[in-house]
Amino acid sequence: ALLRQLRALPDASQQRGELARFLQSAAPVLVRSGEAWLSEVPCFSLKQLAISGKDLAGELGLQPGPWMGTLLQQLLERTALGELANEKDILIQAARAAQ
């Protein structure tokens, strides 16, 4: 979604202000960087994560709840940033450490 917004900025001639001018000049660089990152990111959706909420609940011995979505999102972010490998055992270990 951010990349779509950045692509639209150079055409947004009605925008005013210092921030808008900065974003308009920076948008092409940010788009290229974002596209490169997206092409290399190991995992960018919960469906691609090697662990599910059911896995988490079973491994941690906890009942499903709001904590699960929060923890899965944290694991996804860390995986997308390359901090964690998208492997079930590694993600379970990180989930245990986060508890």
Side-chain angles (χ1 to χ4, degrees):
L2 176 60
L3 288 176
R4 282 192 294 274
Q5 295 299 319
L6 289 171
R7 285 187 191 111
L9 278 175
D11 299 328
S13 60
Q14 299 295 336
Q15 292 184 350
R16 303 269 190 268
E18 189 174 320
L19 179 60
R21 284 190 297 278
F22 168 76
L23 288 174
Q24 285 177 331
S25 66
V29 174
L30 294 172
V31 168
R32 281 193 305 275
S33 298
E35 288 171 341
W37 179 76
L38 285 174
S39 71
E40 295 175 11
V41 70
C43 181
F44 60 90
S45 76
L46 289 176
K47 289 183 179 185
Q48 294 177 314
L49 205 55
I51 193 170
S52 68
K54 185 176 179 180
D55 294 329
L56 277 180
E59 291 291 333
L60 300 178
L62 299 171
Q63 293 295 316
W67 66 270
M68 188 181 298
T70 301
L71 184 53
L72 283 170
Q73 193 62 42
Q74 290 170 353
L75 294 172
L76 174 60
E77 288 173 13
R78 292 185 64 197
T79 302
L81 292 171
E83 294 174 10
L84 295 173
N86 190 21
E87 298 175 18
K88 187 174 180 178
D89 292 338
I90 290 171
L91 295 171
I92 289 170
Q93 186 177 19
R96 283 189 177 123
Q99 291 295 307

